[in-house]
């Protein structure tokens, strides 16, 4: 018989062990080895049985063992020390507290968070990045308040059928068995969030809190008795259900998330956020809820929009339109119209925020960008791709000026770096961990020590892989008698390549199978063998991705190679840690430029692994020629099969002639000196760049602090600046059709036949301002290199001064253009709106240029 309801009965700890509960319910233990050691001491065998899950440990430990611990003075001293250390970590000033003018608090919204395997609320890179973001924020003292959803079935667990087909399972998760606490009112009743739905239905949600070091993570849960069955299932699983289900999740995350923040701050006294960070478009509705709050406080929609935009940061993570959530316009109208409408937020204005080229679709990323004054991609290359992808939102501006910047992702070293390496760094290079300095000192580490640790990590991976492989084969129906070969699967002394990630087609899981004969030769080489460990999940609805997994599994099942190549099901954080620590080489071969950033290769690099990757995402930015290998790309080859063939051949060549040669090139003492030289260079060159701490500092300095200043500026004096700025924007937008560059002429060196570099020309422009004033606009001379179609390539801009204004509104401007480069040179004039509160010249998406190109100097500047 099956239980009709499942719940967790928590252990009542003796008074002497109360601090143990405090440690368990702060997820800092997930990156703090000393606390994990303490948990292991509670019951070492049980700790292994529960998969290093502290909540499960306390749920399974016997009262007799707890009584023993309560009387163990040595354990109690260690427990008191750990609790004191946690309290000091949470309360002591850190890096952020030394900064002037920082935001009081930052709200960080994401649909998924990868904090620890014991809290399975993530599917892949987006969630793992979000988890590392919170951990780094905690370490640096950045006052983030995070918001997500609590999925009662998580994403899914993965197994394989006898035929190698991916099977999905959705285990039920009881919040009582997770490191969570229910947010309650002062009277002890659970805090409830309410959202109006169509047909006069109401969605209720309670709020669970996961404490991630110093950072509270609020997780909204719709599985409450107040809801009907359909509403209870809204938070059933991550990225599950159809279009309407997905929209309901995103409404709860965005709108409900803001309401959860308000309730949390009210109940706990936590400062209200000044900055709201939208991690991808899934949470974009948070901006609408904030507009609703302000319009109900007597601001107009336009005034509220400006106030909201000023304090909002939007991060895009996808390099392809297919990765963006888009909903039918009719569905948005239904959820924001009729009985579910907000009186002060017209549905027409909502639809305009998400409008895209297809009039029948509402685009969540487009809405997110229109609701944020600051937008960024997650690597330099991804920033370029995003500017191209969204350029139509800022028509008339060059790609370089599309206001989408980039902050390259990073990873949280204490979570992902092997303990042995962390301890070696702590002994030999203390400033590396304490102040993130001294990376050049890596060169002083002993080759023998480094190689010994790499061997320990590789052996741990091999042992863990064998255990997972045996479990997988048993689930596929094999008997123990058939599995003796697994005892010799993989070899702790063989060059080990790792490949683990989600399995969409563009990541090309099966590129390595392009020439199976050649791959087999590499695996079985008698002198320089290679072994490959593979993991990854395909989305349950992605039949193509499942076929790719099946192809890999069928190859890895073959008796002649199965000891050298394995597919490990159920890729999660624990397996990710095992692989990124234990692999010598991290393989990544996406179709360039479709990898927004990627972070698993960063984790491998911090563990002394070397990257073997297509130059995409972060690797395009930081590959220096000697810190790994770049797989050549067949750019310009339009036939996908031909491209795969060329890039697979290049991959085989690199493994055979460079990677393997260097790994097996041993000195008299058995050490691969040239390999270790690359490892040290990788650690020294990439270490300070790939850290999540560097990423968080970039967000604070470049985005959070400027956004906080903007938000304060617009909200001062009862939002008087927001009201004035909104009125200015409306006035300028309406008057812009009357703005024209009517005439441009030049004098100076440009009049000669042979202008020389270092000279300058004086540019004069007549601009019709229509109903605007000179103070409303910025007139610029744009100049620089001229391309084959007379276009300016990466131009520079110089401000032109207003000399006079005629009675008819025509203004006369003068500026100087320096002839600062040789070759084909040109210039033109443009007009853009100008106001102290705009963040970029392209912010309003308005520009006026001459109807015909002017000022082209097509001769060669000498």
């Amino acid at each position: 018989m099956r239980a009709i309801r499942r719940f967790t009965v928590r252990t009542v700890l003796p008074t002497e062990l109360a601090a143990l509960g405090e440690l368990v319910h702060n997820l800092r233990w997930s990156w703090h080895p000393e606390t994990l050691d303490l948990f292991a001491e509670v019951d070492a065998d049980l700790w292994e049985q529960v998969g290093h899950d502290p909540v499960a440990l306390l749920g399974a430990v016997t009262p007799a063992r707890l009584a023993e611990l309560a009387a163990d003075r040595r354990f109690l001293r260690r427990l008191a020390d750990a609790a004191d250390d946690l309290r000091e970590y949470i309360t002591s000033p850190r890096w952020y507290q030394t900064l002037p003018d920082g935001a009081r608090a930052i709200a960080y919204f994401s649909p998924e968070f990868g904090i620890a395997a014991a809290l399975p609320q993530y599917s892949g890179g987006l969630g793992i990045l979000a988890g590392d973001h919170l951990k780094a924020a905690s370490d640096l003292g950045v006052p983030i308040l995070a918001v997500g959803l609590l999925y009662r079935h998580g994403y899914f667990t993965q197994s394989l059928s006898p035929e190698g087909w991916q099977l999905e399972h959705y285990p039920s998760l009881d919040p009582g068995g997770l490191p969570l606490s229910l947010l309650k009112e002062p009277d002890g009743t659970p805090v409830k969030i309410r959202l109006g739905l169509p047909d006069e239905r109401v969605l209720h949600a309670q709020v669970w809190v996961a404490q991630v070091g110093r950072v509270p993570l609020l997780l909204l849960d719709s599985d409450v008795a107040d809801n009907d069955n359909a509403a209870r299932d809204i938070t059933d699983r991550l990225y599950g259900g159809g279009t309407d289900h997905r929209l309901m999740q995103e409404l709860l995350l965005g709108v409900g998330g803001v309401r959860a923040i308000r309730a949390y701050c009210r109940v706990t006294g936590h400062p209200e956020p000044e900055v709201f960070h939208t991690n991808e478009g899934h949470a974009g509705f948070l901006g609408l809820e904030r507009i609703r709050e302000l319009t109900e406080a007597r601001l107009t929609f336009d005034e509220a929009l400006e106030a909201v935009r000023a304090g909002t940061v939007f991060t895009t993570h996808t390099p392809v339109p297919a990765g963006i959530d888009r909903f039918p316009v009719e569905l948005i109208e239904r959820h924001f119209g009729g009985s579910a409408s907000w009186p002060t937020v017209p549905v027409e204005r909502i639809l305009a925020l998400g409008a895209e080229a297809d009039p029948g679709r509402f685009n969540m990323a487009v809405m997110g960008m229109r609701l944020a004054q600051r937008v960024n991609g997650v690597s330099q290359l991804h920033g370029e791709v995003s500017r191209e992808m969204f350029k139509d939102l800022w028509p008339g501006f060059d790609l370089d000026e599309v206001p989408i910047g980039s902050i390259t992702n990073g990873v949280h070293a204490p979570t992902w770096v092997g303990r042995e390496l962390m301890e070696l760094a702590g002994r030999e290079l203390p400033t590396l961990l304490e102040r993130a300095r001294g990376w050049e000192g890596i060169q002083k580490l002993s080759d023998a020590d480094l190689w010994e640790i790499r061997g320990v990590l590789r052996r741990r991976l091999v042992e863990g892989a064998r255990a997972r492989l045996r479990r997988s084969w048993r689930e596929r129906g094999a008997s123990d008698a058939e599995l003796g070969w697994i005892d010799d699967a993989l070899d702790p002394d063989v060059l080990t390549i790792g490949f683990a990630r989600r399995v969409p087609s563009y990541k090309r899981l099966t590129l390595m199978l392009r020439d199976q004969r050649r791959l087999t030769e590499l695996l079985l080489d008698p002198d320089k063998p290679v072994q490959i460990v593979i993991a990854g999940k395909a989305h349950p609805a992605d039949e193509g991705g499942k076929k790719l997994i099946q192809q890999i599994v069928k190859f890895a099942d073959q008796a002649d190679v199965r000891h050298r190549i394995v597919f490990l099901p159920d890729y999660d954080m624990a397996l990710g840690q095992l692989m990124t620590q234990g692999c010598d080489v991290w393989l990544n071969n996406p179709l360039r430029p479709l990898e927004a950033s990627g972070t698993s290769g960063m984790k491998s690099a911090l563990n002394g692994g070397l990257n073997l990757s297509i130059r995409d995402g972060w690797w395009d930015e930081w590959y220096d020629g000697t810190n790994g290998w770049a797989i050549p790309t067949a750019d310009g080859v339009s036939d996908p099969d031909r491209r795969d063939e060329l890039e697979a051949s290049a991959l085989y060549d690199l493994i055979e002639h460079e990677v393997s040669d260097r790994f097996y090139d041993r000195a008299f003492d058995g050490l691969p000196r040239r390999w270790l030289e690359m490892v040290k260079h990788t650690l020294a060159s990439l270490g300070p760049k790939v850290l999540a701490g560097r990423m968080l500092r970039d967000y604070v300095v470049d985005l959070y602090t400027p956004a906080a200043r903007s938000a304060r500026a617009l909200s001062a004096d009862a939002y008087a600046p927001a009201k004035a700025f909104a009125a200015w924007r409306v006035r300028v937008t309406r008057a812009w059709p009357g703005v024209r560059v009517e005439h441009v002429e030049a004098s100076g060196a440009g009049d000669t036949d042979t202008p020389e570099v270092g000279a300058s020309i004086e540019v004069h422009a007549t601009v019709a301002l229509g109903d605007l004033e000179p103070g409303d606009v910025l007139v610029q001379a744009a100049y620089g290199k001229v391309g084959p179609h007379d276009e300016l390539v990466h131009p520079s801009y110089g401000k032109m001064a207003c000399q006079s204004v005629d009675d008819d509104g025509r203004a006369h401007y003068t500026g100087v253009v320096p002839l600062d480069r040789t070759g084909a040179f040109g210039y033109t004039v443009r007009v853009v709106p100008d106001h102290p509160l705009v963040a970029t010249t392209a912010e309003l998406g308005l520009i006026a240029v001459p109807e015909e190109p002017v000022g082209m100097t097509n001769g060669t500047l000498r």
Side-chain angles (χ1 to χ4, degrees):
M1 293 184 295
R2 297 186 64 184
I4 62 172
R5 187 178 171 214
R6 173 179 173 169
F7 53 90
T8 299
V9 180
R10 291 191 173 182
T11 300
V12 177
L13 293 170
T15 303
E16 296 86 348
L17 301 179
L20 199 56
E22 183 182 343
L23 292 173
V24 166
H25 283 89
N26 190 307
L27 282 152
R28 187 209 183 196
W29 57 255
S30 66
W31 72 92
H32 193 247
E34 290 80 6
T35 305
L36 293 174
D37 289 345
L38 186 71
F39 293 152
E41 195 171 336
V42 170
D43 188 319
D45 292 338
L46 192 57
W47 179 240
E48 295 302 320
Q49 291 173 26
V50 299
H52 296 186
D53 180 343
V55 179
L57 175 73
L58 290 192
V61 68
T62 65
R65 176 57 181 159
L66 291 176
E68 287 179 21
L69 292 171
D72 185 337
R73 292 184 178 179
R74 188 185 64 83
F75 181 83
L76 293 179
R77 283 197 298 270
R78 291 192 61 196
L79 175 59
D81 289 344
D84 288 343
D85 181 76
L86 175 62
R87 293 173 194 134
E88 181 183 5
Y89 170 82
I90 290 173
T91 58
S92 62
R94 307 187 80 82
W95 170 78
Y96 190 83
Q97 283 66 50
T98 67
L99 302 180
D101 206 27
R104 289 191 306 271
I106 300 114
Y108 181 86
F109 285 64
S110 178
E112 52 176 303
F113 288 90
I115 309 295
L119 187 61
Q121 301 292 306
Y122 59 91
S123 71
L126 180 68
I128 300 301
L129 170 75
D132 283 8
H133 198 101
L134 301 196
K135 293 173 186 176
S138 176
D139 291 343
L140 295 173
V142 182
I144 280 180
L145 177 57
V147 183
L149 300 181
L150 179 68
Y151 305 98
R152 290 300 183 107
H153 299 284
Y155 188 43
F156 67 87
T157 58
Q158 177 197 48
S159 64
L160 298 174
S161 73
E163 298 75 30
W165 190 257
Q166 172 179 292
L167 302 175
E168 299 95 27
H169 314 274
Y170 292 91
S172 295
L173 301 174
D174 172 30
L178 300 174
L180 304 171
S181 59
L182 191 61
L183 182 63
K184 295 182 179 181
E185 300 285 358
D187 64 4
T189 59
V191 167
K192 292 288 181 64
I193 305 303
R194 294 163 45 94
L195 275 76
L197 299 179
D199 304 321
E200 300 188 359
R201 293 170 62 224
V202 177
L203 170 62
H204 303 263
Q206 58 191 2
V207 183
W208 296 90
V209 182
Q211 195 64 38
V212 186
R214 301 165 70 110
V215 174
L217 167 58
L218 313 183
L219 298 171
L220 282 78
D221 173 19
S222 70
D223 188 14
V224 295
D226 309 76
N227 288 328
D228 57 34
N229 288 336
R232 292 186 75 151
D233 286 343
I234 287 173
T235 55
D236 57 351
R237 59 184 65 170
L238 177 59
Y239 302 141
T243 301
D244 189 70
H245 186 269
R246 186 72 167 263
L247 177 62
M248 294 287 283
Q249 287 189 337
E250 298 190 2
L251 283 167
L252 180 58
L253 175 60
V255 177
V258 174
R259 296 178 186 180
I261 281 177
R262 303 307 185 205
Y264 181 84
C265 293
R266 172 178 54 81
V267 169
T268 66
H270 190 286
E272 291 278 357
E274 292 182 287
V275 175
F276 285 74
H277 185 172
T278 310
N279 194 33
E280 198 44 89
H282 311 286
F285 290 123
L286 72 87
L288 298 184
E289 169 64 6
R290 294 174 61 215
I291 288 174
R292 183 198 63 78
E293 292 176 331
L294 292 173
T295 52
E296 291 185 358
R298 303 301 177 88
L299 267 65
T300 67
F301 184 95
D302 290 306
E303 293 164 354
L305 174 60
E306 298 306 333
V308 166
R309 287 185 71 255
T312 302
V313 173
F314 180 87
T315 299
T316 174
H317 291 263
T318 179
V320 290
I324 296 169
D325 281 338
R326 300 161 70 237
F327 296 107
V329 165
E330 298 78 17
L331 195 58
I332 302 298
E333 289 176 325
R334 181 166 177 264
H335 278 273
F336 286 98
S339 63
S341 64
W342 296 342
T344 58
V345 184
V347 68
E348 300 80 26
R349 298 300 301 267
I350 295 173
L351 294 175
L353 288 170
E356 56 152 72
D358 182 348
R361 289 283 163 178
F362 183 91
N363 189 305
M364 293 295 290
V366 166
M367 177 183 68
M369 292 183 183
R370 287 180 173 140
L371 285 170
Q373 194 173 45
R374 290 164 180 84
V375 181
N376 71 287
V378 289
S379 69
Q380 286 186 5
L381 180 59
H382 180 234
E384 295 173 14
V385 171
S386 299
R387 288 190 286 275
E388 174 66 37
M389 192 160 73
F390 295 105
K391 64 183 179 182
D392 291 344
L393 296 182
W394 295 275
F397 287 90
D398 292 336
L399 277 180
D400 290 350
E401 286 195 288
V402 170
I404 301 176
S406 65
I407 291 180
T408 304
N409 286 342
V411 298
H412 185 246
T415 295
W416 298 106
V417 176
R419 183 168 182 176
E420 293 81 1
L421 267 177
M422 293 290 283
E423 289 174 350
L424 177 64
R427 288 195 308 271
E428 305 293 333
L429 304 166
T431 60
L432 206 65
L433 302 179
E434 294 172 7
R435 297 189 293 277
R437 297 176 186 167
W439 285 91
E440 64 282 354
I442 291 287
Q443 301 296 340
K444 301 175 185 176
L445 294 180
S446 158
D447 282 358
D449 288 346
L450 195 54
W451 187 240
E452 181 183 1
I453 289 174
R454 288 298 313 146
V456 168
L457 298 177
R458 194 185 311 110
R459 181 174 294 277
R460 187 179 298 153
L461 169 60
V462 168
E463 293 171 353
R466 288 173 181 169
R468 287 173 178 260
L469 197 61
R470 187 178 301 277
R471 185 163 61 246
S472 174
W473 275 92
R474 283 173 176 163
E475 290 172 347
R476 295 173 68 187
S479 65
D480 285 341
E482 301 172 85
L483 300 180
W485 63 272
I486 291 179
D487 293 336
D488 297 315
L490 306 180
D491 184 326
D493 295 319
V494 165
L495 170 62
T496 305
I497 297 176
F499 185 101
R501 50 193 32 89
R502 290 185 304 111
V503 190
S505 59
Y506 78 85
K507 290 183 183 283
R508 296 193 294 184
L509 169 67
T510 56
L511 186 69
M512 66 181 76
L513 299 183
R514 188 73 189 187
D515 185 338
Q516 295 189 15
R517 178 194 59 79
R518 192 164 182 196
L519 175 61
T520 301
E521 290 174 352
L522 291 171
L523 296 172
L524 303 180
D525 188 300
D527 300 315
K528 300 181 298 179
V530 172
Q531 59 193 15
I532 305 177
V533 182
I534 305 166
K537 291 180 176 180
H539 187 280
D542 183 4
E543 296 296 307
K546 293 180 184 180
K547 288 179 181 177
L548 297 178
I549 289 176
Q550 187 179 44
Q551 291 171 28
I552 281 284
V553 172
K554 283 188 173 181
F555 179 82
D557 282 353
Q558 296 177 102
D560 60 334
V561 296
R562 64 189 182 185
H563 64 300
R564 285 282 185 260
I565 181 168
V566 298
F567 180 88
L568 304 180
D570 208 23
Y571 181 39
D572 62 1
M573 286 187 70
L575 180 54
Q577 288 168 326
L578 201 64
M579 290 183 65
T580 54
Q581 290 172 15
C583 289
D584 301 293
V585 173
W586 199 257
L587 175 61
N588 189 25
N589 46 232
L591 277 169
R592 188 180 191 273
L594 301 184
E595 183 84 275
S597 179
T599 56
S600 55
M602 297 178 176
K603 299 162 192 167
S604 179
L606 284 175
N607 280 289
L610 300 176
N611 277 267
L612 172 61
S613 177
I614 294 286
R615 289 195 64 168
D616 201 4
W618 74 275
W619 188 238
D620 179 73
E621 192 173 328
W622 289 332
Y623 169 66
D624 68 5
T626 55
N627 56 5
W629 295 273
I631 303 169
T633 54
D635 293 337
V637 176
S638 57
D639 179 5
D641 284 341
R642 178 61 177 158
R643 179 171 182 169
D644 285 356
E645 181 181 344
L646 292 170
E647 295 183 3
S649 178
L651 171 62
Y652 300 137
D653 285 344
L654 279 170
I655 293 174
E656 181 178 4
H657 300 300
E658 296 194 35
V659 181
S660 294
D661 282 353
R662 184 157 294 204
F663 183 84
Y664 289 107
D665 178 13
R666 305 296 167 89
F668 67 91
D669 55 6
L671 297 176
R673 298 286 184 181
R674 291 198 306 143
W675 182 272
L676 291 169
E677 181 182 315
M678 283 188 72
V679 168
K680 289 182 177 180
H681 174 67
T682 293
L683 286 167
S685 65
L686 293 179
K689 297 176 182 176
V690 302
L691 293 178
R694 184 275 312 156
M695 175 184 73
L696 251 292
R697 287 182 176 93
D698 288 348
Y699 272 104
V700 167
V701 173
D702 297 340
L703 296 176
Y704 293 161
T705 300
R709 291 194 192 109
S710 295
R712 290 173 196 156
L714 268 76
S715 62
D717 300 325
Y719 291 95
K723 295 175 181 178
F725 184 50
W728 174 84
R729 181 192 279 260
V730 169
R731 179 171 61 83
V732 168
T733 302
R734 289 175 178 170
W736 200 255
V739 177
R740 297 183 306 279
V741 180
E742 294 191 337
H743 180 71
V744 178
E745 61 183 28
S747 60
D751 296 334
T752 70
D753 293 331
T754 55
E756 295 182 349
V757 69
S760 63
I761 58 176
E762 191 171 89
V763 177
H764 306 275
T766 300
V767 178
L769 295 177
D771 294 329
L772 298 182
E773 301 294 330
D776 295 323
V777 301
L778 173 65
V779 179
Q780 296 175 307
Y783 56 91
K785 178 182 177 181
V786 175
H789 303 291
D790 283 349
E791 75 279 10
L792 289 172
V793 180
H794 304 301
S796 298
Y797 299 93
K799 181 178 180 180
M800 300 180 67
C802 182
Q803 303 299 324
S804 63
V805 181
D806 298 338
D807 293 340
D808 59 3
R810 285 174 171 78
H812 303 279
Y813 289 82
T814 300
V816 175
V817 170
L819 305 182
D820 56 2
R821 53 160 290 125
T822 59
F825 189 95
Y827 68 89
T828 188
V829 171
R830 72 173 189 178
V831 187
V832 292
D834 188 39
H835 191 282
L837 292 174
V838 298
T840 69
T841 55
E843 183 169 324
L844 272 65
L846 302 175
I847 188 171
V849 296
E851 293 184 5
E852 296 295 333
V854 297
M856 296 300 177
T857 304
N858 291 317
T860 300
L861 296 181
R862 298 188 302 172

